[in-house]
Amino acid sequence: MATLEVAATDVRGETLSRSELDYGFKILAIATFCMTLALSSFDSIQANFFRDSLGMDGRLNGFLVAIREVPGFLLIFISAVMLRKGLARAAAISIFVAGVGFSLFAFTHSFQQAIIPILICSIGYHSWLQLQYALGLSLARSGEEGTTLGRLQGIGFAGTFLALVLVWVALQGTSSILHNGDQDQDRILRIFWIVAGAVAIIGAIAIRKFPESKRDRHLAMSAPKVTWRREYWLYYVLATLDGSRQQIYFAFAPFVLVEHFNVPARRLILVLMLAALMKWVLGERMGGLVDRFGEKWTLNVAYIAHLATFLGFALAPNVWVAYVCFLGYQFLTLFSIGTTTYIKKIARREDLTPSLAMGVSLAHVTAIFVPVIGATLWDSLGYRFPFFFGTIFVIGSLYFTQKIDISKQSIRDEERAPALS
C-alpha cells in the first residue's frame, strides 16, 4: 500500500505525520472492508430471503425499499447531531447501528416484521456512506482524490467477494451434504444475518482509532448543521438524479433475476462474486481515470452506459442478457465517485462533510416514492416498465453533466458566500 504523502494541518498549525496518515488509511480500510462485507452479505441474500422466507414479491420489495430510504432522506439532520462527536466517532456509531439492524433480520418472519430492522440498518448505512467519503478525502493528496477513493472501493469489494464466497460455500455445502439445501436455506440465511452484524461491529471498533488532526476535528464539530449553497446546485441535482436511478436498480434488478428468470440463490451469488472480483481488481484503476480525464468525461461515459444497461434489463430476451446488464451496472458503480470528487474540488473544506450529507439526503428525496412508482408499474404493466421509467433519471444526469466546469465553479477559501439556510 502506497504511503499517503499529505499533511493535514490543524487550527494551530500542527500536522499529522506521514506514518499517521498511512495508519489512518489502514484503519479506514479495515472499517471499509468490514462494513462492505456485512452490507454485501445483506445484498447477496436479501432477494431470496425476502421472497422465500418472508413471502414477498417485487411489489412488496418496492414498498420495503421506499421505507428503507426514509432515514437517507433525514440524513442531514442525523449527521448534524453525530458530527458534533467528530468524524471517527460518528463513523463508529453509524457502523455499529448498521450491525444491529443486520442482526435483527435473523428474527423476522414477515414483511411487517422486516420494517424495524430495515430502518435501523438504513440509519447506520446511510450515515456511514458519506462519512466514509469524508474520511477518505481527508487522506487524499490534491489531484489524487479519485485514486484514493478508488483504492478504498477496491478494498471494500474484497470484502464483498469474501462475503459472497462464504454465503455460496454455506449454501452449496448444505445442498451437497444434506441434500435438502432449499429446505435448510432459511436457517443458513438467518445465521448470515448474525454474522453480518458481528462483522460490522468489528469495523465500528476499528474506526474509533482513526487519527484526526485538530483542524479536521474542529471543522467537523463546528461545521454548519445544514449546508445548502447556491454554488453547489449542480452537485445537488446530480446527487438527486443518481439516487433516483439507484433506487430503480436496487429495488428491481435482483428481483428480475430471481422472480422473472427464476435464478436460485447460489447462482445469483456466483454472479455477484464475479461482479465483486471485477470491481476489486479495477477499483483503483477506474478512480485513476477520474483523476486523469476529469469528472465530466468519466460521468458522460458512465451515464451513456447506464442507459444501455437499463434498456437491456427492460428488453432482455433471456437470462444471459440480464446477467450481462447486471454485471454492467455493477461495473459502472465504480464511476460513482465522480460526483464525490467533484464536490470536493469545488467546495470549501468546512463545507465538505455536511455537503456530502446533503447529497445523500437529496439522493433520497425521490427514494420514498420512486420505488413505489416502480412497484406499481411492475404490478400493473410488467417488470420491464420500472426500467423504462428509470431511463428518465439517466437522461437527466447526462444532460446536467454537460454543465460541469470545475475551474469556474470552484469556491476559493477566501470567498465566504452566505449559506441559503
Side-chain angles (χ1 to χ4, degrees):
M1 185 181 297
T3 301
L4 298 168
E5 300 176 354
V6 27
T9 307
D10 76 0
V11 290
R12 296 180 181 177
E14 297 178 0
T15 61
L16 291 177
S17 67
R18 292 184 180 180
S19 61
E20 287 176 316
L21 290 166
D22 191 50
Y23 174 74
F25 188 89
K26 291 176 182 178
I27 289 295
L28 182 56
I30 292 171
T32 299
F33 180 87
C34 290
M35 184 58 180
T36 310
L37 191 154
L39 185 62
S40 297
S41 298
F42 171 83
D43 288 338
S44 65
I45 66 179
Q46 65 166 324
N48 293 92
F49 179 78
F50 290 165
R51 184 190 68 170
D52 300 332
S53 298
L54 305 188
M56 292 169 50
D57 57 13
R59 180 180 63 87
L60 284 177
N61 189 63
F63 292 138
L64 191 63
V65 169
I67 294 170
R68 182 191 71 187
E69 301 311 321
V70 172
F73 173 67
L74 299 175
L75 183 61
I76 50 175
F77 306 107
I78 297 172
S79 294
V81 175
M82 291 200 304
L83 282 177
R84 294 298 182 265
K85 300 181 179 297
L87 285 177
R89 282 190 175 184
I93 294 170
S94 300
I95 301 175
F96 180 84
V97 170
V100 171
F102 292 143
S103 297
L104 289 177
F105 275 109
F107 309 101
T108 62
H109 296 86
S110 67
F111 167 78
Q112 290 79 8
Q113 290 179 2
I115 292 175
I116 297 301
I118 203 75
L119 286 172
I120 293 174
C121 70
S122 178
I123 290 172
Y125 164 68
H126 285 111
S127 299
W128 160 249
L129 186 64
Q130 48 93 18
L131 292 169
Q132 175 195 16
Y133 287 145
L135 290 168
L137 289 172
S138 73
L139 302 173
R141 187 169 64 181
S142 179
E144 295 185 358
E145 294 88 353
T147 301
T148 301
L149 293 184
R151 189 182 307 158
L152 283 171
Q153 279 193 337
I155 292 167
F157 293 135
T160 295
F161 184 76
L162 178 59
L164 295 172
V165 169
L166 292 174
V167 173
W168 187 86
V169 168
L171 294 177
Q172 185 65 28
T174 301
S175 177
S176 301
I177 296 173
L178 302 178
H179 304 291
N180 60 351
D182 291 339
Q183 296 178 16
D184 288 335
Q185 174 178 287
D186 176 72
R187 179 166 54 89
I188 295 297
L189 295 183
R190 291 181 187 277
I191 291 173
F192 268 97
W193 289 125
I194 301 294
V195 173
V199 171
I201 291 172
I202 292 172
I205 295 171
I207 198 63
R208 284 180 58 87
K209 298 182 179 180
F210 184 87
E212 293 181 271
S213 69
K214 291 183 179 179
R215 174 178 172 80
D216 286 336
R217 190 179 301 113
H218 172 78
L219 288 174
M221 298 178 70
S222 63
K225 292 183 178 181
V226 177
T227 297
W228 178 265
R229 298 184 184 276
R230 68 175 68 89
E231 294 89 348
Y232 307 153
W233 73 270
L234 184 55
Y235 169 71
Y236 299 150
V237 171
L238 290 173
T240 303
L241 292 170
D242 281 351
S244 302
R245 183 199 71 246
Q246 290 168 11
Q247 297 313 314
I248 294 292
Y249 172 80
F250 290 139
F252 303 107
F255 260 78
V256 169
L257 296 177
V258 171
E259 187 170 313
H260 182 73
F261 291 109
N262 201 32
V263 175
R266 293 189 296 276
R267 191 178 305 166
L268 178 59
I269 290 172
L270 285 175
V271 176
L272 289 169
M273 285 169 58
L274 179 58
L277 182 61
M278 174 180 63
K279 293 190 287 188
W280 179 9
V281 173
L282 298 176
E284 185 173 350
R285 296 180 183 178
M286 295 303 103
L289 287 180
V290 176
D291 292 333
R292 181 178 179 183
F293 295 104
E295 287 76 10
K296 185 173 184 178
W297 183 87
T298 51
L299 289 175
N300 271 325
V301 171
Y303 291 136
I304 292 171
H306 274 308
L307 186 61
T309 59
F310 267 59
L311 292 175
F313 265 115
L315 304 174
N318 54 59
V319 70
W320 297 105
V321 174
Y323 283 150
V324 170
C325 293
F326 191 85
L327 289 172
Y329 191 97
Q330 291 281 327
F331 169 74
L332 292 172
T333 60
L334 293 172
F335 292 98
S336 63
I337 60 175
T339 52
T340 302
T341 58
Y342 167 70
I343 187 62
K344 196 267 183 180
K345 291 178 180 179
I346 70 168
R348 290 192 293 274
R349 187 169 182 175
E350 65 268 25
D351 287 346
L352 180 58
T353 301
S355 292
L356 289 171
M358 177 63 74
V360 174
S361 291
L362 289 173
H364 295 81
V365 166
T366 59
I368 298 174
F369 62 83
V370 164
V372 174
I373 294 174
T376 303
L377 291 172
W378 177 300
D379 192 46
S380 58
L381 299 175
Y383 77 94
R384 293 182 172 88
F385 285 86
F387 297 98
F388 288 138
F389 174 53
T391 61
I392 297 173
F393 306 115
V394 180
I395 293 171
S397 296
L398 192 59
Y399 170 77
F400 282 102
T401 296
Q402 311 315 309
K403 300 182 180 297
I404 290 178
D405 190 338
I406 292 174
S407 62
K408 293 183 179 179
Q409 294 162 352
S410 177
I411 301 176
R412 299 181 184 277
D413 284 341
E414 64 266 24
E415 295 175 354
R416 299 290 174 177
L420 298 182
S421 64

